[in-house]
Amino acid sequence: MLLAAIAAVISYRHMYLLVRRHGETSWTAVLLPLSVDGMIAVASMSLLADSRQGRRSGLLPWTLLVLGSAASLAANVAVAEPPVVGRLIAAWPSCALIGAYELLMRQVRHSATCSAESGTGASAEAHATSQAVHTGAEKPHRTPPWRRHPRMRR
């Protein structure tokens, strides 16, 4: 998380300088970098939500993630000194921020998938119990496993 914060501050500064160099007001220079990084964050969160719901993400979140990432990278490179080394140095914060954020989202997606897989049986029983309590009915009767399947009978 510290890596992402450091990269975000440097990337923000680069975008701020670029916007000011092109004659925009200070308010625009303050807000524009937030809109670029904010679009990356919102697109990533949308992809995360889709993943948690077990559905495929559409074209829009992926497009916004790629556009935001490209805009951030382009802004960072645009403020760099002309030599290739200067451009590589300026590009690094944007790459580090995007990479760190996506790795964090991957961990969150993975932990959500693992907890959903491990809690499936328990959540179904909890839902049945909750439903019975709310409707005033008794807890549904659960047949023991050895009585469910004919080969498992004693």
Side-chain angles (χ1 to χ4, degrees), residues 112-128 142:
T113 303
C114 288
S115 57
E117 288 173 359
S118 67
T120 305
S123 66
E125 185 176 343
H127 176 69
R142 298 201 48 127

Side-chain angles (χ1 to χ4, degrees), residues 24-93:
E24 292 294 329
T25 65
S26 59
W27 275 107
T28 303
V30 167
L31 295 175
L32 190 97
L34 296 175
S35 72
V36 173
D37 291 338
M39 188 167 66
I40 293 169
V42 169
S44 294
M45 295 304 285
S46 178
L47 293 169
L48 175 63
D50 288 342
S51 174
R52 286 181 138 178
Q53 297 295 322
R55 58 181 186 236
R56 291 186 62 176
S57 297
L59 184 61
L60 182 60
W62 284 108
T63 302
L64 294 178
L65 179 64
V66 169
L67 284 174
S69 300
S72 177
L73 183 60
N76 278 274
V77 170
V79 298
E81 295 297 320
V84 174
V85 173
R87 295 196 187 273
L88 289 173
I89 290 169
W92 183 252

Side-chain angles (χ1 to χ4, degrees), residues 112-152:
T113 303
C114 288
S115 57
E117 288 173 359
S118 67
T120 305
S123 66
E125 185 176 343
H127 176 69
T129 303
S130 172
Q131 193 173 21
V133 168
H134 289 294
T135 61
E138 292 183 24
K139 183 177 175 184
H141 177 69
R142 298 201 48 127
T143 306
W146 63 85
R147 295 194 185 238
R148 288 184 201 152
H149 196 279
R151 283 186 259 173
M152 296 180 81

